[in-house]
Amino acid sequence: MNNSFEKNNPNEVPQYNLGQIFLLFTWPILWFMLLIYGIGPLFVQADGTVSTWVVIIISILGNGVELVAALVIFKKEGYKLTFSSLKERIHWRWPKNWKLWLAFIGMFVVAFVLSSVLSSTVEPIAEISNIPDWMPGHPLKEVNSIQDAYPDINFKGNILFFIVQNFIVVIVCNMFGEELYYRAALQPKMRGVFGKWNWVAAGLGFALKHLYFWWRIPMLIPAGLGFAFIFGPVGSLPLSIISHWIGNMAPMNLYFNFMALIGIG
């Protein structure tokens, strides 16, 4: 008996062929490339930087469209866009037994450690790449504080920025956008092509879709595989979202954002 929540029969979830899978992992690359390298440079200021609010809008447009695409896929499958209707389809469950919990913990630790180790490849790759100086989060620019990361933002008392950055951008668009699209929507529809290894294909595809930030791809491979395994064989989207949130260092960023909001740090 399979205790995960991923359906074993490909016919239970309409399947994509290889060409469709390729297209559905490729269009986000082109979309982000357009936003970052096509539209982004239009807003470079005299000092060579881009406003944080421009970066936020690009982030919302980027991941927000992925979120919409996931909902469109569910709608085309005949689901109502309600939590009760989608709950089983998106694996909104916790692991049922201790073996699955152990599998989750083991994969999370392995993926986190490997991603941390491979993060050492970011700077060497960046050094031989032609990354624009205005690029937000430039891997070769030193960041020692949250103010360094967002130099044009006055943090103290800025509730609007705190909510938009930490909840709309990070949680709604980035976490739910990517998790619903790449895990919940696409991964179960890849079983017809990749069989029980669909989680491996989905995990690698997720890492490679970040081609627009190519210097991060090596460290994203174990992360992508980890999230896909947690969603698929373990069978829990909530744990995949939490793992993604922790892996992106979002709790630490939330803490520093909050301290800056109240004028400490």
Side-chain angles (χ1 to χ4, degrees):
M1 178 178 178
N2 185 355
N3 290 315
S4 80
F5 303 105
E6 186 167 47
K7 296 179 179 179
N8 292 315
N9 182 359
N11 294 323
E12 294 180 8
V13 175
Q15 296 295 293
Y16 287 139
N17 59 42
L18 187 58
Q20 290 172 313
I21 293 169
F22 177 80
L23 177 63
L24 289 166
F25 276 93
T26 300
W27 75 256
I29 300 174
L30 301 177
W31 173 235
F32 272 97
M33 286 284 193
L34 172 63
L35 291 174
I36 297 170
Y37 300 101
I39 296 175
L42 300 177
F43 294 91
V44 176
Q45 303 171 116
D47 62 356
T49 63
V50 174
S51 166
T52 295
W53 286 106
V54 170
V55 175
I56 285 174
I57 291 171
I58 287 176
S59 299
I60 291 173
L61 288 173
N63 292 132
V65 170
E66 291 175 326
L67 175 58
V68 171
L71 298 179
V72 169
I73 289 172
F74 297 140
K75 189 70 174 176
K76 289 186 68 175
E77 289 181 8
Y79 288 93
K80 294 180 180 179
L81 299 183
T82 62
F83 178 73
S84 59
S85 176
L86 289 171
K87 184 178 178 181
E88 292 296 325
R89 171 64 177 80
I90 66 176
H91 300 185
W92 195 264
R93 301 282 187 87
W94 302 104
K96 280 187 173 179
N97 58 55
W98 65 268
K99 290 182 180 180
L100 291 176
W101 277 105
L102 284 180
F104 157 65
I105 294 170
M107 176 56 82
F108 178 84
V109 170
V110 169
F112 189 86
V113 169
L114 288 177
S115 291
S116 299
V117 170
L118 289 172
S119 67
S120 62
T121 65
V122 170
E123 286 193 13
I125 294 174
E127 286 172 351
I128 60 174
S129 303
N130 186 25
I131 302 175
D133 289 338
W134 55 264
M135 177 66 63
H138 198 294
L140 300 180
K141 291 185 179 180
E142 189 173 358
V143 176
N144 295 312
S145 68
I146 193 169
Q147 194 66 67
D148 291 341
Y150 309 103
D152 58 337
I153 295 295
N154 180 15
F155 287 94
K156 188 174 181 180
N158 196 339
I159 297 177
L160 176 63
F161 175 79
F162 181 80
I163 293 174
V164 171
Q165 174 61 24
N166 294 284
F167 294 96
I168 296 178
V169 172
V170 175
I171 295 179
V172 175
C173 293
N174 187 222
M175 299 297 102
F176 277 87
E178 290 189 335
E179 291 298 321
L180 283 174
Y181 183 70
Y182 296 99
R183 249 67 71 188
L186 296 189
Q187 188 169 319
K189 298 170 80 69
M190 298 168 63
R191 197 174 180 89
V193 173
F194 298 101
K196 66 179 181 179
W197 300 107
N198 63 328
W199 68 271
V200 175
L204 292 175
F206 176 73
L208 293 174
K209 86 98 183 180
H210 290 84
L211 187 62
Y212 45 87
F213 289 150
W214 62 90
W215 54 92
R216 297 180 184 174
I217 288 179
M219 66 178 288
L220 287 172
I221 290 175
L225 290 172
F227 303 150
F229 181 85
I230 292 167
F231 172 79
V234 172
S236 177
L237 182 65
L239 285 181
S240 181
I241 291 172
I242 292 170
S243 301
H244 196 164
W245 189 65
I246 294 173
N248 278 17
M249 301 299 176
M252 182 175 66
N253 291 332
L254 178 62
Y255 168 78
F256 287 122
N257 267 264
F258 179 73
M259 297 303 284
L261 173 70
I262 62 177
I264 303 176

